[in-house]
Amino acid sequence: MPGYDTSELVCLRCRDERTRCFLNAVSGRPYARCVKIRRLAKEGTMTESTNEFETDDIIEEPAVVAPHTIDRRGFLRGVGATALLGSLAALGGCAPAAQKEPANAEAVAEPLSVDGTEDCDIVIVGAGGSGLAAAVEASEAGARVICVEREAAAGGGEAGVEGIFAVGSRMQEQEGVTNLSTGALIRRELEAAQQRVNGPRYVDMVHNSGENVNWLLDHGVTFMSVDADNGTEKVFHRFEDDKGAVGYVPHMLKAAEDAGVDFRYNTLAKQIVMTDGKATGVIVIDEGGKSIQINASSVIVATGGFAEDFEMVSKNDINTEDAVYVGMPGHDATAHNMLIAAGAKDYTQNTAYLMALAVRGLPGYFEGGKFSFLIGVAAPYSIWINENAERFVNENFSQVNAMLMTVPTWPNKKTHILMDQAMLDIYMNGEQSAVDQLNDGLASGEVLKADTVEALAQAMGVDATALADTVERYNSYCAAKDDADYGKEAEFLMDFGTAPYYGFHVTPDVQVAIGSIQTDRNFNAITDAGDSIEGLYVVGVEGAMLWSNIYTINIAGGANANNVNSGRMAAKHALSRL
Ligand SMILES: Cc1cc2nc3c(=O)[nH]c(=O)nc-3n(C[C@H](O)[C@H](O)[C@H](O)COP(=O)(O)OP(=O)(O)OC[C@H]3O[C@@H](n4cnc5c(N)ncnc54)[C@H](O)[C@@H]3O)c2cc1C
C-alpha cells in the first residue's frame, strides 16, 4: 500500500496527535496541507524556528502541470467528437447552446493533447470512499480496472469519516437491533428535506445498506460499535478508531489491490473522452506530467465534490469571505467542470454542505476546539447577531441538526455570538483548555471583550445603539420568558447583564460539498434533457442527490452509505456493459 503506514499516524511536522490531525494519518508523513500547519502558516505564527523540518520533507500539492501546447493532431487523436465540438466552439468563443459554462471554463475547455494511450475495462477517478467501493466491486468480478487519484495516497475525505449508516447488518443482528422500519426512516428524511430529494435513491441506499455493511465486513473493514450517533436509532456503524483512515481505507485499498486494481497516484483526471455521446475514457495528467488517454468501456467518477473551490461555494449564497476550507485536499472543481464539459447536468443549485462555525485561529473541529463547531450547538443561551447588531435566529435552532448551524449565517457579512460572563462560565465549565483557547482568541482579536455593551459594539465594529436596542429587547423577552421574535425555549432565555461581555466572531469551516452532478438510478450522469450518458457514472458525494441544500443528518452516516452503495451499483452497471 504505497504511502500508507497505519503504524505512523502522527504529523511529523506539527506533531499533533492522530485524533486531531487525521490528514496525516493517511500519509504518516509531514503534509503541506495539514490543517494545523496551514492555519499556523496563514496566521504567520509558524516561523523558521518552529519548523524543525526541511521543506523537502513536506509532501506538496500535486505539481502544477505545465500548460500543454495545443497540438491539433494529438488533440484530434485524443478527444472524441462531442468534446471536440465543445472545445473548438469554446476556442472560437461560441460554445454550443446546450453546453453550460463551468465556473472555470477556460481550464476545462482547453483541449488536451495526448502523449500516450492505455486501455482497460473500467477507469475510476478518485480513490476515496466511493471509488474504493467501485474498484473492489468491479475488479473482483474480473474487470481490468485502473483507478486514478490526484493525491499521493488513497483515502480522500473518507479518511476522516467516522462511520456508515445501515439497517439489517450482521452487527445490528448481534446487538439485537432488528425492529427498525426502513419506510419510517426514509419518510422522516424526505419530510426533513421538504420532499426536495430523490425518493428512489433513498430506497436503494437504505434497502442495500445492511448488505453493503456485511460486504465491508467481509472485506476486512473494521468497526468498533454500532450506535445511534446523534440520532435515535442504532444505525451508525462506527469505524475502528472513529475514522475511515483506520477502519475503511487500508482494508478496501488492500482488497482492491489484491483483486488487481492498478492505482495511479498523483494523477489528475482532466477531461472525459466522449465518442458519439458515450464516455469512452478519460484524459489524465500523470505523475510525470504526461497527458495519457485511458480508454475504457465505462468511466466512474468518484471525486468527492468541489468544497475547496470557494467561487463555486459562494454561488449558493454563502458568504465565503472569511471562510476556510478544512476538508481533505483534492476537492476543487476540476472534476465538476470536466463532467459539465462532457454534457452532464448541473446539480449545484441544490448542493448541501458539511460545514461548521469556527472562531478563526482557534483550534478547529478536528483539533478539539472549544469555540469552534461546538459553539454553534452548545451555547443555546447565547445571542447571535449579524453586522447590523440584529438577532436573526432562535439560537437553539441547530439542536435538531448540527449541520444547520451555519445556514442562517450564510448571507451575513459578519456574525458574532455574544455571551456575558455568566453564560461563558456555564460554557467553559471550568476547563483549563477552554481558558487557554479563550485567551488565544482574545489575543488574536477574533474574540472581543468589554465591560459595557457599548464598548463591545465598538470592538466588534457594529452600531452601539442598535446593539443596545437588541440587548434590551432580548432581556425583556428573558423577563417575560417568551422570545417574541424567534421563539427560543424559555429554559435558554438568560438575561444578558453580567459584565464583562464577550463577542465571538464566527465564520464557516467548509468541509464537504454534497451533490454537484445529476444522475439516474444507476448513477449514470444525465444530460440537461434528462437522458443517461452511456458509460459515464458519478458516485459518492459528487453524484449524490439525497440532499437538497441542507445536509439533513437524521440518517446518521447516510452520506457514507451512499458512497458505498453508489460505488457498488455503478460498478455493477458498468460490468453489465462489458
Ligand atoms: C472529516 C469528514 C468526516 C465525515 N464524516 C462522515 C461520517 O461520519 N458519515 C458520513 O456518512 N459521511 C461523512 N462525511 C461525508 C462523506 O461521506 C465524505 O466526504 C466521503 O469522503 C465522500 O466520499 P467520496 O468517495 O464521494 O469522496 P472522497 O472520499 O473525498 O474521495 C474523492 C477522491 O477523489 C480524488 N479526486 C478528486 N478530483 C480528482 C481528479 N480530478 N482526478 C483524480 N482524483 C481526484 C480526491 O483526491 C479524493 O481522494 C465526512 C466528511 C469529512 C470530510
Side-chain angles (χ1 to χ4, degrees):
M1 291 180 281
Y4 206 102
D5 177 4
T6 50
S7 66
E8 176 54 275
L9 294 175
V10 180
C11 172
L12 297 181
R13 190 160 177 229
C14 77
R15 296 199 180 281
D16 218 332
E17 294 163 23
R18 63 179 177 174
T19 49
R20 295 165 56 186
C21 192
F22 65 77
L23 280 183
N24 306 286
V26 179
S27 63
R29 293 159 64 191
Y31 202 99
R33 302 194 62 177
C34 164
V35 170
K36 186 170 175 183
I37 289 174
R38 277 190 294 153
R39 184 161 288 160
L40 293 175
K42 198 171 172 209
E43 289 167 5
T45 48
M46 171 166 270
T47 61
E48 283 297 302
S49 61
T50 58
N51 175 10
E52 304 152 285
F53 292 84
E54 298 297 327
T55 42
D56 285 355
D57 289 339
I58 303 168
I59 303 167
E60 295 293 352
E61 285 179 66
V64 177
V65 180
H68 286 260
T69 327
I70 300 177
D71 160 2
R72 200 159 280 271
R73 264 181 48 225
F75 173 51
L76 290 173
R77 210 173 46 237
V79 292
T82 309
L84 175 63
L85 188 67
S87 303
L88 289 180
L91 278 176
C94 149
Q99 182 129 354
K100 284 213 175 63
E101 271 297 301
N104 189 1
E106 247 180 30
V108 175
E110 180 195 345
L112 293 173
S113 62
V114 172
D115 301 319
T117 59
E118 289 190 48
D119 298 310
C120 67
D121 294 327
I122 297 172
V123 59
I124 297 171
V125 180
S130 58
L132 287 173
V136 172
E137 184 71 48
S139 57
E140 286 188 346
R144 290 173 305 144
V145 177
I146 294 178
C147 181
V148 297
E149 166 56 54
R150 65 187 293 173
E151 296 295 320
E158 190 70 29
V161 168
E162 292 105 320
I164 182 168
F165 162 88
V167 173
S169 71
R170 292 203 295 268
M171 287 173 68
Q172 284 167 317
E173 273 168 39
Q174 281 156 14
E175 292 269 324
V177 185
T178 52
N179 58 350
L180 295 170
S181 160
T182 50
L185 287 168
I186 295 168
R187 174 182 164 167
R188 192 179 62 196
E189 197 70 15
L190 264 56
E191 283 174 355
Q194 305 281 317
Q195 313 297 338
R196 293 195 66 238
V197 290
N198 190 298
R201 217 61 64 78
Y202 262 106
V203 170
D204 290 344
M205 185 271 274
V206 171
H207 283 263
N208 294 343
S209 61
E211 199 273 315
N212 282 337
V213 164
N214 291 345
W215 181 77
L216 295 180
L217 286 164
D218 293 340
H219 285 87
V221 170
T222 48
F223 296 92
M224 57 187 195
S225 63
V226 52
D227 58 62
D229 194 44
N230 57 355
T232 42
E233 296 89 8
K234 278 193 172 183
V235 293
F236 192 68
H237 297 63
R238 198 174 289 280
F239 291 135
E240 182 185 352
D241 213 13
D242 226 1
K243 62 175 81 68
V246 176
Y248 182 94
V249 180
H251 310 293
M252 291 298 282
L253 183 59
K254 182 173 184 314
E257 286 175 343
D258 288 351
V261 175
D262 181 355
F263 284 95
R264 310 279 175 87
Y265 296 102
N266 297 311
T267 298
L268 178 73
K270 291 272 283 188
Q271 203 160 53
I272 305 287
V273 180
M274 298 294 292
T275 310
D276 300 331
K278 297 178 191 164
T280 55
V282 64
I283 299 177
V284 303
I285 309 300
D286 75 6
E287 206 161 13
K290 286 216 162 69
S291 172
I292 307 294
Q293 177 170 322
I294 303 174
N295 298 312
S297 84
S298 292
V299 180
I300 299 178
V301 179
T303 38
F306 56 81
E308 219 168 339
D309 186 321
F310 277 9
E311 200 186 318
M312 297 271 294
V313 174
S314 61
K315 286 187 180 158
N316 289 114
D317 288 334
I318 299 170
N319 179 0
T320 53
E321 203 179 304
D322 295 324
V324 170
Y325 176 68
V326 297
M328 292 299 193
H331 295 84
D332 64 16
T334 306
H336 171 85
N337 292 342
M338 164 177 93
L339 289 160
I340 294 290
K345 189 171 183 180
D346 201 349
Y347 188 72
T348 53
Q349 70 276 20
N350 296 326
T351 302
Y353 291 91
L354 206 168
M355 205 185 268
L357 284 178
V359 176
R360 208 49 54 223
L362 295 187
Y365 171 44
F366 306 118
E367 300 158 323
K370 177 75 179 174
F371 296 97
S372 296
F373 184 74
L374 275 181
I375 195 165
V377 284
Y381 34 77
S382 60
I383 304 176
W384 293 26
I385 59 160
N386 63 17
E387 63 279 3
N388 299 321
E390 300 160 325
R391 275 181 82 211
F392 54 93
V393 74
N394 159 17
E395 291 83 355
N396 190 37
F397 73 101
S398 57
Q399 293 296 330
V400 291
N401 173 2
M403 284 304 109
L404 284 177
M405 189 197 317
T406 60
V407 175
T409 73
W410 285 354
N412 291 356
K413 283 191 187 147
K414 254 196 186 357
T415 303
H416 282 95
I417 293 182
L418 309 185
M419 289 193 232
D420 70 0
Q421 189 63 53
M423 295 170 182
L424 192 64
D425 287 345
I426 297 173
Y427 187 68
M428 306 265 281
N429 196 26
E431 295 165 30
Q432 186 53 46
S433 70
V435 175
D436 295 342
Q437 290 176 34
L438 177 71
N439 288 335
D440 286 349
L442 289 166
S444 74
E446 292 299 306
V447 181
L448 295 315
K449 179 182 177 184
D451 289 330
T452 63
V453 170
E454 188 182 9
L456 183 67
Q458 276 159 6
M460 294 187 300
V462 300
D463 185 84
T465 312
L467 184 62
D469 287 349
T470 294
V471 168
E472 192 185 331
R473 189 177 173 105
Y474 183 79
N475 284 346
S476 74
Y477 296 156
C478 294
K481 294 192 178 355
D482 177 21
D483 175 7
D485 288 341
Y486 297 105
K488 183 151 82 177
E489 296 83 341
E491 61 186 299
F492 300 123
L493 289 172
M494 231 181 121
D495 189 79
F496 188 83
T498 312
Y501 305 109
Y502 298 84
F504 296 85
H505 178 214
V506 288
T507 57
D509 266 359
V510 184
Q511 290 156 40
V512 185
I514 304 175
S516 95
I517 293 294
Q518 302 205 27
T519 53
D520 67 13
R521 205 166 172 174
N522 296 315
F523 296 96
N524 267 122
I526 59 171
T527 63
D528 281 355
D531 301 323
S532 304
I533 302 178
E534 238 184 279
L536 182 59
Y537 302 86
V538 190
V539 299
V541 298
E542 196 83 60
M545 290 170 65
L546 297 176
W547 297 275
S548 183
N549 298 121
I550 304 298
Y551 185 32
T552 51
I553 49 170
N554 300 312
I555 290 187
N560 207 22
N562 174 64
N563 298 336
V564 174
N565 189 53
S566 58
R568 292 190 73 192
M569 281 184 67
K572 284 176 189 166
H573 200 261
L575 286 165
S576 73
R577 301 183 65 247
L578 287 177

